[in-house]
Amino acid sequence: MCGIIARIGHGDAAETLLSGLENLEYRGYDSAGIAVQNGSGVKVHKCSGEVDDLKSSLESQPHGNMGIGHTRWSTHGPPTDANAHPHTDTAGDVAVVHNGVIDNYDELRAELQAKGHEFESDTDTEVIPHLIDEYRTETGDSEEAVRRAVETLEGSYAIAAIVDGEEAVYAARKGSPLVLGLDDEEWFLASDVPAFLDHTDEVIYLEDGDIVVLDPDSYRITDLEGTPLDRSTDTVDWDPEDAGKGEYDHYMLKEINNQPTSLSNTIEGRIDDGDVALEELPAGTFEDVETVQFVACGTSYHAAMYGANLLRSAGISTEVVRASEYTSMSGPVDEGTLVVAVTQSGETADTLEAVREATARGARSLAVTNVVGSTAAREADDAIYIRAGPEVGVAATKTFSSQAVTLALLTQRLAADVPTATPAEDRETMLEELKELPEHVERVLETTDAESLARDTVDSKSYFFIGNGLGHSVALEGALKFKEITYEHAEGFAAGELKHGPLALVTDETPVFAVATGSGDGKTKTNAIEAQTRGAPIVAVSPDDHPLTDVAEVHLSIPDTHPVWAGLLANVQLQLVSYHAADLLERPIDKPRNLAKSVTVE
Ligand code: M6R
């Protein structure tokens, strides 16, 4: 969790740091801070609260051509002013921002305190500037001190540091993302590209063990021994506009409305002559695969359920495991197992750990991710990108639909490659219908009644979402979205499960959203009627002439399409219901309490 940024160049750094932090706030928003160097001491400004609070706490913009910044999601110590980053050594000469977790901070802190270092926060991070200071005293060389400090640390980190009187930014990474941005007149380091996308699209994705030294005119990357490394430069194809809110009140609404475009990008060039054409995964890639294990968390888990359902229909033995449960819940793994990590950010610690364990047990790995150069993409044997573009709202929306479509395409590749599988007979029709999906989403967005429905139901006690098969994963996703941004109680169920317990909670104050996909909807209808008999208002999310509409009090319409895609249209309606309900309740939609977009701790 947490977002870090650093900038060095000519001219003041503070404004760039603050706007960069705003673009990183999706990574954490319970405190923020910057430190700048202006030749007369390192000046630290930090406070609990959001970047906006930090900006209003600054009487004037601090001067200095280099600096570091941080936006925090607390792990060690509550979100107080003292625990906000940057942290410094006792004299305040070395300032550090950090994303990650230092496992051996307790013992390091005790050792440093015994040597006279004074600590001011509860954080694990604070040991880092003290260590750098300690090693500077020993070696007289800040770069060497940073190197020794990171060698002493156990855990995960992306760090950036500045030192009083030195025209340099020092940085290092292990297990937490760090990207170097290269502009003509300035260099940047950040946890993610949107932090500096307004300035440059030329980047270097740093690797674990890299040490970086930036001065105003050059940059150097070395390994832990000081050997220079040659890292390749990439050009990011995201538009700076993609990282902004545009005409919308919230990123979430922008991203829901962006789905016709993001889905077109996901599909583009991947259907050829009635078949799937995946450049990254050509025919024959999976000939040796016998079973598939999906690992994922949250929304990505629901997309993985969607994909697993399709793979099972193709006759491929498939398991979906919540990544955080992998150690205790996964089935047998061997060389015939393909572990598929579904992760928007590519940085979710639980998911990365599950993949590492599966590969250690012999599995081959594939990352399905949105972020080029992410840890998942780099560590997995293969990667396929969902191409949804940057998603800033903490609630995942457009990435869910792009993940599900990418997994459906992947299913076709696996079904063709795996010897025991049976490719879908109606593959051509299904792929033809996929080409129509962006237009169908457009229609949902133009005609939706989600806002008035949200207004009519917003005082309810609880919200239930049911569906069968593919509709089950959409029901779970609908409920997750609803609770995450409205703070109201919402649960998703396989339709048939309602009567095995949850029905006890159903009253006339618990609307039940019934998701139709055109396959297995009979169960959903029967169970919706059972809930209705107990007083629950039923909302059918279905095509117009669907049998569910005979039962439901309210109808959210979706265009007729192939059953594989119908659930994704229903999901857009549910995203909109959640959004409007949260808006009516005046919730901080893009930054729900206690959450962060990229969960880089286990
Ligand atoms: O980046 P990932 O897809 O691995 O993130 C996994 C979950 O943390 C994420 O999907 C989360 O559940 C969503 N932000 C919920 O909207």
Side-chain angles (χ1 to χ4, degrees):
M1 244 56 124
C2 305
I4 71 170
I5 182 168
R7 181 268 185 189
I8 187 165
H10 302 280
D12 278 343
E15 199 168 322
T16 305
L17 295 174
L18 291 167
S19 69
L21 286 182
E22 282 174 329
N23 289 342
L24 287 178
E25 260 194 313
Y26 69 88
R27 302 180 68 86
Y29 33 85
D30 60 35
S31 45
I34 58 171
V36 292
Q37 248 266 59
N38 60 9
S40 59
V42 170
K43 299 275 189 294
V44 176
H45 306 267
K46 60 183 188 172
C47 63
S48 60
E50 300 187 2
V51 177
D52 261 352
D53 300 306
L54 173 67
K55 280 162 91 176
S56 22
S57 75
L58 293 171
E59 277 157 26
S60 60
Q61 200 89 269
H63 295 298
N65 68 324
M66 76 198 77
I68 54 179
H70 189 271
T71 179
R72 179 170 188 244
W73 185 88
S74 316
T75 55
H76 295 67
T80 59
D81 290 353
N83 287 337
H85 298 213
H87 291 285
T88 63
D89 64 320
T90 312
D93 292 338
V94 179
V96 170
V97 287
H98 164 226
N99 172 32
V101 174
I102 305 303
D103 296 331
N104 59 341
Y105 82 100
D106 255 346
E107 61 195 78
L108 290 175
R109 187 179 169 116
E111 283 168 22
L112 288 158
Q113 278 171 327
K115 289 179 179 164
H117 291 259
E118 289 165 22
F119 283 74
E120 290 180 352
S121 78
D122 311 313
T123 66
D124 52 340
T125 301
E126 200 181 354
V127 296
I128 305 172
H130 289 275
L131 270 179
I132 296 174
D133 171 56
E134 187 67 21
Y135 291 128
R136 276 181 81 225
T137 310
E138 272 179 35
T139 63
D141 176 353
S142 295
E143 184 177 338
E144 182 57 21
V146 168
R147 194 164 278 122
R148 287 212 198 166
V150 298
E151 275 172 342
T152 312
L153 300 175
E154 286 167 19
S156 60
Y157 51 79
I159 60 167
I162 54 175
V163 179
D164 185 23
E166 294 188 18
E167 285 269 295
V169 172
Y170 302 94
R173 77 153 274 177
K174 184 185 142 210
S176 298
L178 194 60
V179 192
L180 174 58
L182 311 170
D183 197 7
D184 292 343
E185 309 219 317
E186 53 191 346
W187 316 122
F188 305 90
L189 284 158
S191 302
D192 198 359
V193 174
F196 52 70
L197 197 56
D198 280 346
H199 301 265
T200 182
D201 56 6
E202 294 298 304
V203 303
I204 293 176
Y205 295 102
L206 297 164
E207 307 272 340
D208 278 355
D210 286 359
I211 303 281
V212 184
V213 183
L214 310 178
D215 67 38
D217 301 304
S218 67
Y219 69 88
R220 263 183 311 116
I221 307 172
T222 62
D223 65 12
L224 284 173
E225 278 73 50
T227 313
L229 294 168
D230 194 13
R231 295 265 178 253
S232 60
T233 307
D234 280 289
T235 304
V236 177
D237 65 0
W238 288 353
D239 191 317
E241 293 269 304
D242 291 346
K245 251 195 308 226
E247 73 206 59
Y248 295 94
D249 289 341
H250 298 96
Y251 282 106
M252 183 183 179
L253 189 58
K254 178 187 174 199
E255 287 155 5
I256 292 172
N257 277 278
N258 184 239
Q259 285 174 106
T261 306
S262 53
L263 283 168
S264 297
N265 291 339
T266 303
I267 299 162
E268 197 186 340
R270 286 174 165 173
I271 303 172
D272 184 28
D273 211 10
D275 214 337
V276 167
L278 301 176
E279 207 184 352
E280 307 92 325
L281 307 170
T285 306
F286 299 120
E287 268 167 1
D288 53 355
V289 169
E290 288 160 16
T291 60
V292 175
Q293 267 185 358
F294 286 98
V295 291
C297 303
T299 291
S300 294
Y301 177 84
H302 301 145
M305 279 178 72
Y306 209 93
N309 196 302
L310 299 175
L311 273 186
R312 285 190 202 107
S313 308
I316 298 173
S317 148
T318 308
E319 183 183 17
V320 197
V321 190
R322 292 191 189 276
S324 56
E325 297 268 277
Y326 190 80
T327 313
S328 49
M329 293 300 288
S330 77
V333 173
D334 59 27
E335 308 77 62
T337 309
L338 176 70
V339 64
V340 180
V342 185
T343 165
Q344 183 281 131
S345 62
E347 302 295 346
T348 300
D350 288 324
T351 306
L352 294 174
E353 265 318 297
V355 176
R356 286 172 193 143
E357 186 174 332
T359 47
R361 284 158 59 183
R364 165 180 175 185
S365 59
L366 168 69
V368 178
T369 183
N370 195 30
V371 181
V372 177
S374 59
T375 305
R378 283 186 293 104
E379 289 192 6
D381 297 320
D382 290 293
I384 179 164
Y385 293 103
I386 65 167
R387 304 183 189 156
E391 187 178 70
V392 178
V394 165
T397 52
K398 63 176 179 171
T399 54
F400 174 81
S401 50
S402 287
Q403 284 171 333
V405 165
T406 308
L407 292 175
L409 295 172
L410 175 67
T411 299
Q412 295 310 310
R413 162 62 48 251
L414 278 154
D417 283 2
V418 174
T420 52
T422 42
E425 277 171 18
D426 64 346
R427 189 174 66 244
E428 267 191 51
T429 324
M430 183 179 83
L431 294 175
E432 275 311 306
E433 285 284 339
L434 174 57
K435 289 189 196 154
E436 306 296 313
L437 186 63
E439 254 176 61
H440 288 332
V441 172
E442 192 80 64
R443 206 170 117 210
V444 170
L445 294 168
E446 281 166 12
T447 59
T448 181
D449 294 322
E451 187 171 1
S452 70
L453 171 66
R455 202 171 299 114
D456 292 345
T457 53
V458 76
D459 290 330
S460 304
K461 199 166 166 197
S462 213
Y463 302 79
F464 295 135
F465 298 75
I466 60 169
N468 190 258
L470 292 171
H472 177 206
S473 35
V474 174
L476 295 186
E477 174 56 13
L480 174 63
K481 214 86 314 171
F482 200 91
K483 71 181 89 164
E484 177 182 21
I485 59 167
T486 65
Y487 308 163
E488 298 294 315
H489 178 248
E491 289 300 327
F493 303 102
E497 275 296 298
L498 210 54
K499 58 187 175 294
H500 296 292
L503 206 51
L505 298 171
V506 163
T507 69
D508 57 0
E509 289 183 284
T510 57
V512 174
F513 292 80
V515 174
T517 61
S519 163
D521 293 343
K523 268 196 198 322
T524 307
K525 183 177 171 188
T526 312
N527 286 274
I529 293 171
E530 286 162 11
Q532 191 176 45
T533 309
R534 274 86 189 166
I538 305 299
V539 182
V541 194
S542 71
D544 288 345
D545 54 358
H546 191 278
L548 260 176
T549 57
D550 303 338
V551 179
E553 281 80 10
V554 188
H555 176 220
L556 289 175
S557 170
I558 59 170
D560 258 324
T561 185
H562 191 280
V564 168
W565 315 123
L568 304 182
L569 296 171
N571 189 56
V572 175
Q573 288 283 22
L574 296 182
Q575 291 171 345
L576 288 162
V577 173
S578 295
Y579 172 80
H580 289 297
D583 199 32
L584 289 164
L585 293 164
E586 298 184 4
R587 304 295 189 227
I589 292 178
D590 287 328
K591 297 179 207 160
R593 70 183 172 208
N594 305 336
L595 301 179
K597 190 156 190 71
S598 185
V599 188
T600 55
V601 290
E602 281 183 68

Coordinates of all heavy atoms in Angstrom, one line a residue, residues 75-122:
T75 N -0.1 0.8 8.1 CA 0.0 -0.6 8.5 C 0.6 -0.6 10.0 O -0.1 -1.1 10.9 CB 1.1 -1.4 7.6 OG1 2.3 -0.7 7.6 CG2 0.5 -1.6 6.3
H76 N 1.7 0.1 10.2 CA 2.3 0.2 11.5 C 2.0 1.5 12.1 O 2.6 2.5 11.7 CB 3.8 -0.1 11.5 CG 4.1 -1.5 11.0 ND1 3.9 -1.9 9.8 CD2 4.7 -2.5 11.7 CE1 4.3 -3.2 9.7 NE2 4.8 -3.6 10.8
G77 N 1.1 1.6 13.1 CA 0.8 2.9 13.7 C -0.4 3.6 13.1 O -0.5 3.5 11.9
P78 N -1.2 4.2 13.9 CA -2.4 4.8 13.4 C -2.1 6.1 12.5 O -1.0 6.5 12.5 CB -3.2 5.3 14.6 CG -2.2 5.3 15.7 CD -1.1 4.3 15.3
P79 N -3.1 6.6 11.7 CA -2.8 7.7 10.8 C -2.7 9.0 11.6 O -3.7 9.8 11.6 CB -4.0 7.7 9.9 CG -5.1 7.0 10.6 CD -4.5 6.0 11.6
T80 N -1.6 9.3 12.2 CA -1.4 10.5 12.9 C -0.4 11.4 12.2 O 0.3 10.9 11.3 CB -0.8 10.2 14.3 OG1 0.4 9.5 14.1 CG2 -1.7 9.4 15.2
D81 N -0.2 12.6 12.6 CA 0.8 13.5 12.0 C 2.2 12.9 12.1 O 3.0 12.8 11.2 CB 0.8 14.9 12.6 CG -0.4 15.7 12.3 OD1 -1.2 15.2 11.5 OD2 -0.6 16.8 12.9
A82 N 2.4 12.3 13.3 CA 3.8 11.8 13.6 C 4.1 10.6 12.7 O 5.2 10.3 12.3 CB 3.9 11.4 15.1
N83 N 3.1 9.8 12.5 CA 3.3 8.6 11.7 C 3.3 8.8 10.2 O 3.6 7.9 9.4 CB 2.2 7.5 12.0 CG 2.5 6.9 13.4 OD1 3.6 6.9 13.9 ND2 1.4 6.4 14.0
A84 N 2.9 10.0 9.8 CA 2.9 10.3 8.3 C 4.4 10.3 7.8 O 5.3 10.7 8.6 CB 2.2 11.7 8.1
H85 N 4.6 10.0 6.6 CA 5.9 10.1 6.0 C 6.0 11.5 5.3 O 5.0 12.1 5.0 CB 6.0 9.0 4.8 CG 5.9 7.6 5.3 ND1 6.6 6.6 4.7 CD2 5.2 7.0 6.2 CE1 6.3 5.4 5.2 NE2 5.4 5.7 6.2
P86 N 7.2 11.9 5.1 CA 8.5 11.4 5.2 C 9.0 11.3 6.7 O 8.5 12.1 7.5 CB 9.5 12.3 4.5 CG 8.6 13.1 3.5 CD 7.3 13.2 4.3
H87 N 9.9 10.3 6.9 CA 10.5 10.2 8.3 C 11.9 10.6 8.1 O 12.5 10.5 7.1 CB 10.3 8.7 8.8 CG 8.9 8.4 9.1 ND1 8.3 8.9 10.2 CD2 8.0 7.7 8.4 CE1 7.0 8.5 10.3 NE2 6.8 7.7 9.2
T88 N 12.5 11.0 9.2 CA 13.9 11.5 9.2 C 14.7 10.8 10.3 O 14.2 10.2 11.2 CB 14.0 13.0 9.5 OG1 13.5 13.3 10.8 CG2 13.1 13.8 8.4
D89 N 16.0 11.0 10.2 CA 16.9 10.6 11.3 C 16.8 11.6 12.4 O 16.1 12.6 12.3 CB 18.4 10.4 10.8 CG 18.9 11.8 10.3 OD1 18.2 12.6 9.7 OD2 20.1 12.1 10.6
T90 N 17.6 11.4 13.5 CA 17.5 12.3 14.7 C 17.7 13.7 14.3 O 17.0 14.6 14.8 CB 18.4 11.8 15.8 OG1 18.3 10.4 15.9 CG2 18.1 12.5 17.1
A91 N 18.8 14.0 13.5 CA 19.1 15.4 13.2 C 18.3 16.0 12.1 O 18.3 17.2 11.9 CB 20.6 15.4 12.8
G92 N 17.5 15.2 11.5 CA 16.6 15.7 10.4 C 17.4 15.9 9.1 O 17.0 16.7 8.2
D93 N 18.5 15.2 8.9 CA 19.3 15.4 7.7 C 18.9 14.4 6.6 O 19.2 14.7 5.4 CB 20.8 15.1 8.0 CG 21.4 16.2 8.9 OD1 20.8 17.3 9.0 OD2 22.4 15.9 9.6
V94 N 18.4 13.3 6.9 CA 18.0 12.3 5.9 C 16.5 12.1 6.0 O 16.0 11.9 7.1 CB 18.7 10.9 6.3 CG1 18.3 9.9 5.2 CG2 20.2 11.1 6.3
A95 N 15.8 12.3 4.9 CA 14.4 12.1 4.9 C 14.0 10.9 3.9 O 14.6 10.8 2.8 CB 13.6 13.3 4.4
V96 N 13.1 10.1 4.3 CA 12.8 8.9 3.6 C 11.3 8.7 3.4 O 10.5 8.9 4.4 CB 13.4 7.6 4.3 CG1 12.9 6.3 3.7 CG2 14.9 7.6 4.2
V97 N 10.8 8.3 2.2 CA 9.5 7.8 2.1 C 9.6 6.3 1.7 O 10.5 5.9 1.1 CB 8.7 8.6 1.0 CG1 8.3 9.9 1.5 CG2 9.4 8.6 -0.3
H98 N 8.5 5.5 2.1 CA 8.6 4.1 2.0 C 7.3 3.5 1.7 O 6.3 3.9 2.3 CB 9.2 3.5 3.3 CG 9.0 2.0 3.5 ND1 8.6 1.5 4.7 CD2 9.3 1.0 2.7 CE1 8.6 0.2 4.6 NE2 9.0 -0.1 3.4
N99 N 7.2 2.5 0.8 CA 6.0 1.7 0.6 C 6.5 0.3 0.8 O 7.4 -0.2 0.1 CB 5.5 1.9 -0.9 CG 4.4 0.9 -1.2 OD1 3.6 0.5 -0.3 ND2 4.3 0.5 -2.5
G100 N 5.8 -0.4 1.7 CA 6.2 -1.8 2.0 C 6.1 -2.1 3.5 O 5.5 -1.3 4.2
V101 N 6.7 -3.1 3.9 CA 6.7 -3.5 5.3 C 8.0 -4.0 5.7 O 8.6 -4.9 5.1 CB 5.6 -4.6 5.6 CG1 5.7 -5.0 7.1 CG2 4.2 -4.1 5.3
I102 N 8.6 -3.4 6.8 CA 9.9 -3.8 7.2 C 9.7 -4.8 8.4 O 9.2 -4.5 9.5 CB 10.8 -2.6 7.7 CG1 10.9 -1.6 6.6 CG2 12.2 -3.1 8.2 CD1 11.5 -2.1 5.3
D103 N 10.0 -6.1 8.1 CA 9.7 -7.1 9.1 C 10.6 -7.1 10.4 O 10.2 -7.4 11.4 CB 9.9 -8.5 8.5 CG 8.9 -8.7 7.3 OD1 7.8 -8.1 7.4 OD2 9.2 -9.5 6.4
N104 N 11.9 -6.7 10.2 CA 12.8 -6.7 11.3 C 13.0 -5.3 12.0 O 14.0 -5.0 12.5 CB 14.2 -7.3 10.9 CG 14.9 -6.5 9.8 OD1 14.2 -5.7 9.1 ND2 16.2 -6.6 9.6
Y105 N 11.9 -4.5 11.9 CA 12.1 -3.1 12.4 C 12.2 -3.1 13.9 O 12.9 -2.2 14.4 CB 10.9 -2.2 11.9 CG 9.7 -2.3 12.7 CD1 9.4 -1.3 13.6 CD2 8.8 -3.3 12.5 CE1 8.2 -1.4 14.4 CE2 7.6 -3.4 13.2 CZ 7.3 -2.4 14.1 OH 6.1 -2.5 14.8
D106 N 11.6 -4.0 14.6 CA 11.6 -4.0 16.1 C 13.1 -4.1 16.5 O 13.6 -3.3 17.4 CB 10.9 -5.2 16.6 CG 9.5 -4.7 17.2 OD1 9.4 -3.5 17.4 OD2 8.7 -5.6 17.4
E107 N 13.8 -5.1 16.0 CA 15.2 -5.3 16.5 C 16.1 -4.2 16.0 O 17.0 -3.7 16.7 CB 15.7 -6.7 16.1 CG 15.7 -6.9 14.6 CD 15.9 -8.4 14.2 OE1 14.9 -9.1 14.3 OE2 17.0 -8.7 13.8
L108 N 15.8 -3.7 14.8 CA 16.7 -2.6 14.3 C 16.5 -1.3 15.1 O 17.4 -0.6 15.4 CB 16.3 -2.3 12.8 CG 16.7 -3.3 11.8 CD1 16.2 -3.0 10.4 CD2 18.2 -3.5 11.7
R109 N 15.2 -1.1 15.4 CA 14.9 0.1 16.2 C 15.6 0.0 17.6 O 16.2 1.0 18.0 CB 13.4 0.2 16.4 CG 12.9 1.4 17.1 CD 11.3 1.3 17.1 NE 10.8 2.3 18.0 CZ 10.0 3.3 17.5 NH1 9.6 3.3 16.3 NH2 9.5 4.2 18.4
A110 N 15.6 -1.2 18.2 CA 16.2 -1.3 19.5 C 17.7 -1.1 19.4 O 18.3 -0.4 20.2 CB 15.9 -2.7 20.1
E111 N 18.3 -1.6 18.4 CA 19.8 -1.5 18.2 C 20.1 0.0 18.0 O 21.1 0.5 18.5 CB 20.3 -2.2 16.9 CG 20.4 -3.7 17.1 CD 20.6 -4.5 15.8 OE1 21.0 -3.8 14.8 OE2 20.3 -5.7 15.8
L112 N 19.3 0.7 17.1 CA 19.6 2.1 16.8 C 19.4 3.0 18.1 O 20.1 3.9 18.3 CB 18.7 2.6 15.7 CG 19.1 2.0 14.3 CD1 17.9 2.0 13.3 CD2 20.3 2.8 13.7
Q113 N 18.3 2.6 18.8 CA 18.1 3.4 20.1 C 19.2 3.3 21.0 O 19.7 4.2 21.7 CB 16.8 3.0 20.7 CG 15.5 3.6 20.1 CD 14.2 3.1 20.5 OE1 14.1 1.9 20.8 NE2 13.2 3.9 20.6
A114 N 19.8 2.0 21.1 CA 20.9 1.8 22.0 C 22.1 2.6 21.6 O 23.0 3.0 22.4 CB 21.3 0.3 22.0
K115 N 22.2 3.0 20.3 CA 23.3 3.8 19.8 C 22.9 5.3 19.9 O 23.7 6.2 19.4 CB 23.6 3.5 18.3 CG 24.2 2.1 18.2 CD 24.5 1.9 16.7 CE 25.2 0.5 16.5 NZ 25.1 0.0 15.2
G116 N 21.8 5.7 20.5 CA 21.4 7.1 20.7 C 20.5 7.7 19.7 O 20.1 8.9 19.8
H117 N 20.0 6.9 18.8 CA 19.0 7.4 17.8 C 17.7 7.7 18.5 O 17.2 6.8 19.2 CB 18.8 6.5 16.6 CG 20.0 6.4 15.7 ND1 20.1 7.1 14.5 CD2 21.2 5.7 15.9 CE1 21.3 6.8 14.0 NE2 22.0 6.0 14.8
E118 N 17.0 8.8 18.2 CA 15.7 9.1 18.8 C 14.6 8.9 17.8 O 14.7 9.5 16.7 CB 15.7 10.5 19.3 CG 16.6 10.7 20.5 CD 16.9 12.1 20.8 OE1 16.1 13.0 20.4 OE2 18.0 12.4 21.5
F119 N 13.6 8.2 18.2 CA 12.5 7.9 17.3 C 11.2 8.7 17.7 O 11.0 9.0 18.9 CB 12.1 6.4 17.3 CG 13.1 5.6 16.5 CD1 14.4 5.4 17.0 CD2 12.8 5.1 15.3 CE1 15.3 4.6 16.3 CE2 13.7 4.3 14.6 CZ 15.0 4.1 15.1
E120 N 10.4 9.1 16.7 CA 9.2 9.9 17.0 C 7.9 9.3 16.5 O 6.9 9.8 16.8 CB 9.4 11.2 16.2 CG 10.5 12.1 16.8 CD 10.6 13.4 16.1 OE1 10.0 13.6 15.0 OE2 11.4 14.2 16.6
S121 N 8.0 8.1 15.8 CA 6.8 7.6 15.3 C 6.6 6.1 15.7 O 7.5 5.5 16.3 CB 6.7 7.6 13.8 OG 7.5 6.6 13.2
D122 N 5.5 5.5 15.4 CA 5.3 4.1 15.6 C 5.6 3.2 14.4 O 5.3 2.1 14.3 CB 3.8 3.8 15.9 CG 3.2 4.7 17.0 OD1 3.9 4.9 18.0 OD2 2.1 5.3 16.7

